[in-house]
Amino acid sequence: MISVNQMSPRPLEPLAKRLLKGVIALELAGVFGAYALFHKMNNSQDFRNTMNKRFPSVLEVYYQSNEWAGIYGIRERDHQAWSAKQE
């Protein structure tokens, strides 16, 4: 008969550590990816125009995050510039 002391969770420890490292790596990749996207949108009006056409909800989050941070007028300048290009 096997007692409780003989049943060790040791075989699962390496798997758990690998999974935890994988989750942490995915989290870091997500954070850096979000920062890179924000940085590109923050520096390029043309890229924001592309985002407006392809992923308008992502651009809306960008505008709102800037407005919550107290930075206003980006949305208006973008719409003004884009409407001037169409005319």
Side-chain angles (χ1 to χ4, degrees), residues 34 37-38 41 48 51 55-69 75:
L37 181 64
F38 175 84
M41 281 196 291
R48 288 195 300 271
M51 292 300 289
F55 305 105
S57 60
V58 173
L59 183 62
E60 183 62 27
V61 169
Y62 167 78
Y63 288 142
Q64 286 180 355
S65 67
N66 276 306
E67 289 166 359
W68 289 333
R75 180 192 318 255

Side-chain angles (χ1 to χ4, degrees), residues 2 15-16 19 25 28 42 48 56 68 75 77:
I2 298 175
L15 177 62
L19 285 173
L28 285 173
N42 207 34
R48 288 195 300 271
W68 289 333
R75 180 192 318 255
R77 284 192 304 268

